[in-house]
Amino acid sequence: MIEAHELTKRYGDTTAVHSLSFTIAPGTVTVNGKPYRQHRSPLREVGGLLEASAVHPGRSARSHLRTMAATHNIKASRVSEVIEMTGLAGVATKRVGGFSLGMGQRLGIAAALLGDPRTLILDEPVNGLDPEGVQWVRQLVRALAAEGRTVFLSSHLMSEMSQTADHLLVTGRGRIIAAGPVQQVIDSVAGGAVRVRSPRAGELAAALAADGATVTPPETGMLDVSGTAAALPDSLTQCSHTGWDATASTPGSASSAISTSRSTHDS
């Protein structure tokens, strides 16, 4: 497992991390009970993408990976495997200095996978990738986790984490803000509320209030609705059937909780 005790990091007068302590159990993220430097073959234990640009610009992608492989007696065939896996086959012999940000990210992921480790630590893995690349990273990470590997992702994109991660550890001003399963963290922020937009917001508010919901209008045509979470989707669906066009989502969350958009006719 990974354990951090009273971790502090300062940049000049700014404290980026202040006395941060946490434990991440096996099955989510782990460093196998040892500091990285204590592993005899660290690439076979932990693969990391921390700074994709930390590569000599004059080397080719294949040369860079072969050099890394040589330090751990990893076969050249494995280099070819990760090149294919990360979509670098077409640029494997080109100098890294000419790579786009997205290609650099792919090379960083290839390096992390090189030792076929059981644990991966990926910092902003979708940074610089096009939509196809982002989808590829999602599928790759989920596939690796399904194999029983531990994958630790860091990202400022909560929407991306909601589609990829199982557990979240959210930090701000150097402290832990929230931690737990993704949906639990989202629910703790959203407070069980939904935000509804409708051209007939006033009438919709009355109908929802009649069902026992608490309704507040943050702006014209919009409602923040809270109440019994299980009843909200039924209430919104019923309103749509009776003549309202309503779209609802979780306010301030990483993902949509309800998406009800129906084309209806006023009675």
Side-chain angles (χ1 to χ4, degrees):
M1 64 176 67
I2 286 180
E3 294 181 326
H5 300 284
E6 301 297 323
L7 185 64
T8 298
K9 180 67 176 179
R10 295 184 177 87
Y11 294 94
D13 295 332
T14 301
T15 301
V17 178
H18 179 70
S19 298
L20 191 66
S21 298
F22 61 88
T23 299
I24 304 177
T28 51
V29 182
T30 181
V31 187
N32 303 327
K34 292 183 180 180
Y36 184 83
R37 64 179 179 274
Q38 291 183 9
H39 287 288
R40 296 186 62 182
S41 299
L43 287 183
R44 298 183 187 274
E45 298 284 343
V46 184
L49 168 64
L50 302 179
E51 180 52 68
S53 62
V55 181
H56 193 292
R59 287 181 177 173
S60 68
R62 186 178 296 277
S63 174
H64 171 66
L65 293 172
R66 280 181 172 174
T67 300
M68 292 185 64
T71 66
H72 284 64
N73 294 318
I74 297 172
K75 295 181 179 180
S77 59
R78 177 60 181 171
V79 172
S80 297
E81 286 178 15
V82 296
I83 285 175
E84 290 291 338
M85 189 184 305
T86 54
L88 291 172
V91 296
T93 59
K94 294 184 178 180
R95 292 185 177 181
V96 176
F99 277 16
S100 65
L101 180 58
M103 284 293 103
Q105 287 293 100
R106 287 176 179 266
L107 178 57
I109 293 172
L113 294 170
L114 188 59
D116 198 20
R118 302 300 298 172
T119 299
L120 288 157
I121 300 176
L122 307 177
D123 181 25
E124 301 282 3
V126 301
N127 188 29
L129 295 178
D130 57 19
E132 181 182 356
V134 171
Q135 183 65 28
W136 167 74
V137 169
R138 289 178 193 162
Q139 294 172 349
L140 174 66
V141 167
R142 299 302 305 176
L144 291 169
E147 292 174 358
R149 301 175 197 256
T150 296
V151 184
F152 183 23
L153 303 177
S154 67
S155 177
H156 66 284
L157 301 174
M158 288 297 290
S159 59
E160 186 60 35
M161 291 299 94
S162 72
Q163 299 180 64
T164 309
D166 295 313
H167 290 74
L168 295 178
L169 180 69
V170 184
T171 62
R173 298 182 181 275
R175 300 180 184 274
I176 295 175
I177 296 173
V182 172
Q183 194 57 52
Q184 178 182 310
V185 173
I186 291 173
D187 290 344
S188 70
V189 175
V194 292
R195 175 158 292 172
V196 185
R197 289 179 173 83
S198 173
R200 298 173 64 182
E203 296 167 84
L204 180 57
L208 290 170
D211 282 345
T214 300
V215 183
T216 56
E219 60 183 72
T220 302
M222 182 183 298
L223 306 171
D224 281 347
V225 186
S226 61
T228 304
L232 289 175
D234 293 337
S235 298
L236 290 169
T237 300
Q238 181 60 34
C239 288
S240 291
H241 282 311
T242 55
W244 285 284
D245 182 22
T247 300
S249 62
T250 304
S253 75
S255 62
S256 176
I258 303 172
S259 181
T260 304
S261 183
R262 297 175 184 272
S263 178
T264 58
H265 297 284
D266 294 343
S267 55

